[in-house]
Amino acid sequence: MNPTKELVHNFQELLGQVPEFMQPFILVLAAAVPFLEGEAGAMIGVVGGLNPVLAAAAAAVGNFASVALVVMVTARARTAVTSRVDARAESAAAAAAGTATLVTVPAAKPESKGRLRFKRWLVRFGVPGASILGPLAIPTQFTASILVAGGTSRRWVLLWQGVAIVLWTTITTVLVWSALRFVAGV
């Protein structure tokens, strides 16, 4: 037995120790983790011997659930911050009653390469392009958070993040299944 077949066989034995009805739930949890996401969740399932369609569906559900949670939390945080800033501005305007005030702004930290790449894609391709291409630079949870914090509609972000999750999870599942089936012979 070649090393790849042996590794896959050992992993399938390990996953086989978990009850069958719990295996998709493990994929849901794995896919909810940023940087693993639906792609890694689907890979774990396919390599573990699960039906590729079940593995992809469970991984996509887990990834989308975590993205939806991040979107809801970020939207609430944005609403709280913007309403607080608006309230401060109104009270400052009322207190100043026409006098000028000096406002100091702290220096911003330099942005990461991934975030800069994401911003270029957002300007160039809009929310659909940033959502679909975003996973090449940063996790979908981060992409969704940046979009919502920037003021994009929650529904629009969730729609395009869902499309991106299904697309990337499907591509990864098909590639892993094909590699195991045709290249490794498992």
Side-chain angles (χ1 to χ4, degrees), residues 11 15 27 36-50 55-56 59 168-169 172-173 175-177 180:
F11 186 71
L15 195 60
L27 295 181
L36 291 182
E37 303 188 359
E39 295 85 2
M43 282 188 225
I44 291 168
V46 171
V47 171
L50 265 67
W168 285 109
T169 303
T172 305
T173 303
L175 288 174
V176 170
W177 177 80
L180 287 176

Side-chain angles (χ1 to χ4, degrees), residues 77-90:
R78 183 180 194 285
T79 302
V81 167
T82 56
S83 63
R84 186 174 180 183
V85 167
D86 291 343
R88 277 189 179 174
E90 288 175 8

Side-chain angles (χ1 to χ4, degrees), residues 2 4-5 178-186:
N2 72 30
T4 305
K5 285 184 181 181
S178 299
L180 287 176
R181 182 90 174 193
F182 301 116
V183 177
V186 177

Side-chain angles (χ1 to χ4, degrees), residues 4-176:
T4 305
K5 285 184 181 181
E6 187 175 338
L7 180 67
V8 170
H9 179 70
N10 290 341
F11 186 71
Q12 288 175 348
E13 284 182 6
L14 178 66
L15 195 60
Q17 294 174 2
V18 177
E20 281 190 41
F21 70 92
M22 288 297 296
Q23 292 173 358
F25 294 112
I26 291 171
L27 295 181
V28 168
L29 292 175
V33 176
F35 296 102
L36 291 182
E37 303 188 359
E39 295 85 2
M43 282 188 225
I44 291 168
V46 171
V47 171
L50 265 67
N51 180 327
V53 174
L54 177 63
V61 165
N63 195 359
F64 187 77
S66 69
V67 167
L69 178 68
V70 166
V71 165
M72 296 308 157
V73 169
T74 304
R76 290 195 65 158
R78 183 180 194 285
T79 302
V81 167
T82 56
S83 63
R84 186 174 180 183
V85 167
D86 291 343
R88 277 189 179 174
E90 288 175 8
S91 65
T99 61
T101 58
L102 180 63
V103 178
T104 59
V105 178
K109 293 190 293 186
E111 293 183 326
S112 69
K113 286 195 287 186
R115 185 170 259 221
L116 289 172
R117 186 180 313 146
F118 172 78
K119 282 185 174 183
R120 280 195 309 267
W121 287 342
L122 179 59
V123 168
R124 188 170 182 184
F125 302 113
V127 173
S131 294
I132 292 172
L133 297 174
L136 297 173
I138 56 177
T140 54
Q141 291 88 349
F142 296 179
T143 303
S145 180
I146 292 169
L147 289 170
V148 171
T152 307
S153 162
R154 289 180 296 179
R155 290 182 188 181
W156 192 241
V157 171
L158 287 174
L159 169 72
W160 284 104
Q161 287 298 309
V163 169
I165 289 167
V166 168
L167 177 72
W168 285 109
T169 303
T170 302
I171 289 171
T172 305
T173 303
V174 169
L175 288 174
V176 170

